[in-house]
Amino acid sequence: MDLLRFATAGSVDDGKSTLIGRLLLDSKAIFEDQLEAVEATSNAKGYDYTDLALLTDGLRSEREQGITIDVAYRYFATPRRKFIIADTPGHVQYTRNMVTGASTADLGLVLVDARQGLTEQSRRHAVLLSLLRVPHLVLAVNKMDLVGFDQGVFERIRQEFVTFTQRLNVPDLAVIPISALQGDNVVTRSDAMPWYEGSSLMHHLENVHIASDRDLRDVRFPVQYVVRPKSDEHHDYRGYAGQVASGVLKPGDEVMVLPSGLTSRIAAIDSFTEQVEEAFPPMSVVVRLEDDLDVSRGDMICRVNNAPEPTQDVDAMVCWMTREPLRPRQKLAIKHTTRSARALVKDIQYRLDINTLHRDGDTRELGLNEIGRVTLRTTQQLLVDPYEQNRTTGSFILIDEATGTTVGAGMIN
Amino acid sequence: MIPVQASADYRLSHLEELESESIHIFREVVAELERPVLMFSGGKDSIVMLRLAEKAFYPARLPFPLLQVDTGLDFPEVLQTRDNWVERLGARLVVASVEEAIATGVVVDDGKTSRNRMQTATLLDAIETHGFTAAFGGGRRDEEKARAKERVYSHRDEFGQWDPKNQRPELWSLYNGRLHEGEHMRIFPLSNWTELDIWHYIAREGIEIPSIYFAHQRRVFERDGMLLSEHPANPCRDGEVVTERTVRFRTVGDLTLTGCVESPATTLDEIVEEVSVARVTERGATRGDDRFSEAAMEDRKKEGYF
């Protein structure tokens, strides 16, 4: 059994909560006491149906306002896979939450109401998922029951979406007609839509091929922590702990450590008491080298002829996440892989309109939930790859030094 | 130990992936935050957490102490397991006692507040006294609605409070551990684990957990639909009858509040089997403290509970 992380974006109107509720119910991830609590609340509110949205609205402030504010993580499993859902709100004022949910997702699920067709919101969700390089995209055309399960309606929406995503980077797209309320094509194929020959949503989630999404070629091992027991038993032990970002590491491999550029060979790869023959993403291991080099946190182990670019000038798409806008000359803390530095905002090249993809070059600042292309100068070298090649060595966060909060998320160009 | 084998398709199982994520979190915290501590209750989640910490720093010893908040009403079997783990790992254990906190006036025992709730003040006092800046907790997002939105790095202000509306965005695996004087972080390395994952992992690792998780004979009485242990600190009320039944615990905490369930499961495989078909959450079934209101956990968390 493996693990699939997926992000959903949308509002109650699209039937997103109903869909998630149904996936959880049908995979038996919702318990009786949770369902009873939701039924009781629905009754108290005078609804004549069980509002499954209440299952996902975790915080009292959200229940009071009847909206989802934050990213909620949900879990369910089938015999084939364990799933982690990052459930995010759909409105434009919560773009930062969508970006957060999409950052770790293998798959993005966009919902549209069959009666409405594509909306500005569904296009924006597709843009964000593409920007965050979520490798698989599913468009679920919901409420098919309300359009008489009409193939023509579905085809129009599908065609429009396929055309729209040709402007984006969407490696894998599936479009599925469903009725979340009635369960059509959610877990089992629907009899009401014999014209649809694809798989049900659940079948797709269980079988979508994610194994080749990872980069097994370019070795990137950010050193997180140096393990030095200093005990009698392990007196000379010195190992470099980290999580493999990409590539496959093997004992005997010739490697280079950045930023020093010194080379050595891998002596052994430890995983607790075992030694492993190969380490691949996302394994957390301890790498030992044959030579006694000066390696510390923030360094990167890679191959001699295949290394990230050491740079102090970073060109990236930045999603801004706080009320006080991002402006040129601003100084921020930056965290990239296991390396922390300070960054100066050199320039905001343009602001991207995430509804139209229009680039506004006259912009002087980036406001809350806005995304733009930004150049930064950092106090020390970062060891970067383009985000489109590597979601780990291509991403960073920006931190306000005064408040300590995370204020921006960056994807390196 | 099951060795991590190089598989032809280079895929990890879901348990291996969760394990790797948690180990990454442990190392990140130790690398960036000055004085971490692991909140260790002796319950199954904190045991899994401790196992992951052991793996994260092996062959070195744990680079932080364990902190146990002793309610004075803990199950003796749980304390025994705690001591076995501490001894095997050669770890340093700090015990913060609720009774001591009452004696020194840190918390007030008004006779109505549960020991579980008094743990919060005791815990915050211990964190402040020792100057801990990061406290690992075994909370999981599948446990409860308020937890579903909590970050892996959960920021607490000078009063130890959690502000759910003002949480830091958490992207990729880039955690932000920035703190001001007097603030601390709660760290939840098991955020993405479910109850079933925990049991599968305990079975896979073959690690010691308290015997009360397995079916045993116990003298119990029924209160508010829960089965509670007979104990001098927990006298029966009118109409409550003590009977001996075959039970096991799904969670461990203050024994006056933690209920058990009738179960014949005496092995890990049987527990896994039972948990996979369970229809009631572990907290709903066995934790009196979460039942007081729909937002009970959210309120306690805001105050600084685990």
Side-chain angles (χ1 to χ4, degrees), chain B residues 157-206:
Chain B
D157 67 14
E158 309 96 298
F159 301 98
Q161 299 179 111
W162 180 54
D163 181 1
K165 278 189 276 189
N166 196 22
Q167 300 193 79
R168 296 175 177 177
E170 206 157 67
L171 298 108
W172 298 290
S173 49
L174 292 170
Y175 300 103
N176 173 0
R178 295 256 170 165
L179 289 174
H180 287 112
E181 186 71 33
E183 300 174 342
H184 74 276
M185 283 285 175
R186 295 291 170 83
I187 313 285
F188 298 105
L190 304 180
S191 286
N192 287 326
W193 296 58
T194 62
E195 185 186 11
L196 198 54
D197 296 330
I198 294 289
W199 283 114
H200 277 300
Y201 193 72
I202 289 169
R204 191 188 93 153
E205 297 289 306

Side-chain angles (χ1 to χ4, degrees), chain A residues 1 5 30 32-33 60 62 75 82 100 103 214 224 243 278 282 284 297 335 387 402 404 406, chain B residues 6 10 14 20-21 24 28 32 148-149 151 168 170 172 175-176 178 180 192 197 279 281 298-299:
Chain A
M1 188 157 90
R5 298 173 201 249
I30 288 177
E32 277 165 15
D33 54 327
R60 181 156 48 198
E62 293 176 322
Y75 304 85
K82 173 185 164 114
T100 301
S103 72
R214 291 143 328 125
Q224 222 189 337
Q243 190 168 28
E278 290 179 297
S284 282
R297 176 175 167 84
K335 187 172 178 187
Y387 184 75
T406 305
Chain B
Y10 297 104
H14 78 291
S20 175
E21 179 182 80
H24 172 81
E28 206 56 17
E32 289 203 317
K149 303 207 167 169
R151 304 293 186 261
R168 296 175 177 177
E170 206 157 67
W172 298 290
Y175 300 103
N176 173 0
R178 295 256 170 165
H180 287 112
N192 287 326
D197 296 330
R279 300 308 305 136
T281 59
E298 185 177 342
D299 291 339

Side-chain angles (χ1 to χ4, degrees), chain A residues 1-3 5 25 28-34 37-38 41 54-63 65 68-75 81-82 84 96-97 99-100 103-104 132 210-211 214 216 224-225 227-229 231 234 237 241-243 248 250 271-278 280-286 297 321 333-338 340-341 387 391-392 395-397 399-406 408-411, chain B residues 1-7 9-32 51 54-61 63 88 140-151 153 155 162 164-180 183 190-197 200 205 250 275-285 293-296 298-299 302:
Chain A
M1 188 157 90
D2 63 1
L3 181 62
R5 298 173 201 249
L25 264 180
K28 299 187 171 54
I30 288 177
F31 295 96
E32 277 165 15
D33 54 327
Q34 290 173 309
V38 166
T41 311
L54 294 168
L55 277 169
T56 45
D57 293 341
L59 304 172
R60 181 156 48 198
S61 41
E62 293 176 322
R63 289 196 293 277
Q65 293 169 44
T68 312
I69 296 169
D70 212 322
V71 187
Y73 293 91
R74 305 281 151 201
Y75 304 85
R81 263 187 182 154
K82 173 185 164 114
I84 301 179
R96 67 172 197 157
N97 303 90
V99 168
T100 301
S103 72
T104 51
L132 270 291
I210 52 173
R214 291 143 328 125
L216 297 174
Q224 222 189 337
Y225 182 80
V227 180
R228 297 204 65 183
S231 59
H234 303 281
Y237 189 96
Q243 190 168 28
V248 178
K250 298 187 193 78
S271 172
F272 191 37
T273 53
E274 303 287 326
Q275 290 192 6
V276 296
E277 288 162 24
E278 290 179 297
F280 52 89
M283 281 171 67
S284 282
V285 293
V286 179
R297 176 175 167 84
M321 302 182 148
I334 184 169
K335 187 172 178 187
H336 170 263
T337 65
T338 54
S340 293
Y387 184 75
R391 288 171 88 187
T392 306
S395 57
F396 60 84
I397 55 170
I399 297 164
D400 183 301
E401 293 183 305
T403 63
T405 55
T406 305
M411 290 146 280
Chain B
M1 268 313 304
I2 296 176
V4 184
Q5 279 181 352
S7 51
D9 62 350
Y10 297 104
R11 292 296 298 174
L12 295 182
S13 73
H14 78 291
L15 273 188
E16 289 165 339
E17 194 165 334
L18 291 173
E19 178 188 61
S20 175
E21 179 182 80
S22 302
I23 287 174
H24 172 81
I25 292 163
F26 271 109
R27 290 171 174 164
E28 206 56 17
V29 170
V30 168
E32 289 203 317
R51 176 61 162 188
E54 180 188 4
K55 290 193 175 191
F57 303 102
Y58 186 87
R61 283 194 182 182
R88 188 174 70 74
R140 309 188 317 265
R141 287 179 181 144
D142 78 320
E143 274 181 273
E144 203 277 334
K145 289 205 283 191
R147 286 216 198 269
K149 303 207 167 169
E150 183 145 22
R151 304 293 186 261
Y153 275 41
H155 179 260
W162 180 54
K165 278 189 276 189
N166 196 22
Q167 300 193 79
R168 296 175 177 177
E170 206 157 67
L171 298 108
W172 298 290
S173 49
L174 292 170
Y175 300 103
N176 173 0
R178 295 256 170 165
L179 289 174
H180 287 112
E183 300 174 342
L190 304 180
S191 286
N192 287 326
W193 296 58
T194 62
E195 185 186 11
L196 198 54
D197 296 330
H200 277 300
E205 297 289 306
R250 282 180 74 185
V275 173
S276 9
V277 298
R279 300 308 305 136
V280 179
T281 59
E282 56 187 356
R283 286 196 168 261
S293 85
E294 198 185 0
E298 185 177 342
D299 291 339
K302 282 183 186 165

Side-chain angles (χ1 to χ4, degrees), chain A residues 350-411:
Chain A
Y350 60 81
R351 187 179 61 82
L352 182 73
D353 185 322
I354 49 174
N355 295 315
T356 62
L357 296 179
H358 175 73
R359 295 171 179 186
D360 174 10
D362 295 330
T363 193
R364 290 291 166 90
E365 55 182 45
L366 282 185
L368 173 64
N369 289 311
E370 290 186 338
I371 292 172
R373 188 163 181 168
V374 174
T375 35
L376 303 168
R377 174 81 182 168
T378 57
T379 48
Q380 52 168 309
Q381 285 185 337
L382 303 182
L383 308 163
V384 309
D385 289 297
Y387 184 75
E388 62 176 19
Q389 282 171 28
N390 197 314
R391 288 171 88 187
T392 306
T393 54
S395 57
F396 60 84
I397 55 170
L398 296 168
I399 297 164
D400 183 301
E401 293 183 305
T403 63
T405 55
T406 305
V407 292
M411 290 146 280

Side-chain angles (χ1 to χ4, degrees), chain B residues 1-295:
Chain B
M1 268 313 304
I2 296 176
V4 184
Q5 279 181 352
S7 51
D9 62 350
Y10 297 104
R11 292 296 298 174
L12 295 182
S13 73
H14 78 291
L15 273 188
E16 289 165 339
E17 194 165 334
L18 291 173
E19 178 188 61
S20 175
E21 179 182 80
S22 302
I23 287 174
H24 172 81
I25 292 163
F26 271 109
R27 290 171 174 164
E28 206 56 17
V29 170
V30 168
E32 289 203 317
L33 285 148
E34 230 163 294
R35 290 174 69 88
V37 67
L38 185 144
M39 298 191 285
F40 188 68
S41 68
K44 65 182 192 312
D45 301 308
S46 67
I47 284 172
V48 166
M49 198 164 55
L50 189 53
R51 176 61 162 188
L52 293 162
E54 180 188 4
K55 290 193 175 191
F57 303 102
Y58 186 87
R61 283 194 182 182
L62 288 191
F64 43 76
L66 313 184
L67 172 66
Q68 195 220 350
V69 180
D70 180 1
T71 62
L73 295 169
D74 295 301
F75 292 94
E77 296 89 343
V78 175
L79 298 180
Q80 184 57 52
T81 303
R82 175 199 74 184
D83 293 342
N84 293 347
W85 270 91
V86 166
E87 195 189 320
R88 188 174 70 74
L89 296 183
R92 190 160 75 83
L93 175 70
V94 177
V95 177
S97 150
V98 173
E99 284 182 351
E100 223 167 85
I102 294 168
T104 54
V106 170
V107 300
V108 179
D109 187 1
D110 57 8
K112 286 181 292 197
T113 310
S114 77
R115 285 292 169 104
N116 216 333
R117 190 129 189 174
M118 287 190 282
Q119 277 182 286
T120 301
T122 311
L123 170 69
L124 292 177
D125 182 61
I127 287 174
E128 202 175 312
T129 308
H130 293 271
F132 295 128
T133 55
F136 294 103
R140 309 188 317 265
R141 287 179 181 144
D142 78 320
E143 274 181 273
E144 203 277 334
K145 289 205 283 191
R147 286 216 198 269
K149 303 207 167 169
E150 183 145 22
R151 304 293 186 261
V152 172
Y153 275 41
S154 182
H155 179 260
R156 303 303 159 105
D157 67 14
E158 309 96 298
F159 301 98
Q161 299 179 111
W162 180 54
D163 181 1
K165 278 189 276 189
N166 196 22
Q167 300 193 79
R168 296 175 177 177
E170 206 157 67
L171 298 108
W172 298 290
S173 49
L174 292 170
Y175 300 103
N176 173 0
R178 295 256 170 165
L179 289 174
H180 287 112
E181 186 71 33
E183 300 174 342
H184 74 276
M185 283 285 175
R186 295 291 170 83
I187 313 285
F188 298 105
L190 304 180
S191 286
N192 287 326
W193 296 58
T194 62
E195 185 186 11
L196 198 54
D197 296 330
I198 294 289
W199 283 114
H200 277 300
Y201 193 72
I202 289 169
R204 191 188 93 153
E205 297 289 306
I207 48 181
E208 184 195 345
I209 55 168
S211 58
I212 59 171
Y213 281 114
F214 299 98
H216 57 285
Q217 295 294 111
R218 180 172 289 266
R219 290 176 58 78
V220 294
F221 61 90
E222 220 172 304
R223 178 178 293 166
D224 306 330
M226 289 192 300
L227 290 177
L228 297 177
S229 295
E230 182 190 40
H231 192 272
N234 204 23
C236 285
R237 296 173 191 159
D238 281 351
E240 292 173 344
V241 187
V242 175
T243 53
E244 189 168 295
R245 305 205 203 174
T246 306
V247 297
R248 67 174 203 88
F249 288 83
R250 282 180 74 185
T251 67
V252 300
D254 173 343
L255 62 76
T256 63
L257 269 176
T258 308
C260 49
V261 291
E262 293 202 87
S263 163
T266 52
T267 65
L268 284 171
D269 285 346
E270 285 166 6
I271 291 175
V272 166
E273 179 63 33
E274 193 179 285
V275 173
S276 9
V277 298
R279 300 308 305 136
V280 179
T281 59
E282 56 187 356
R283 286 196 168 261
T286 62
R287 289 302 271 266
D289 41 348
D290 285 333
R291 297 176 139 206
F292 299 135
S293 85
E294 198 185 0

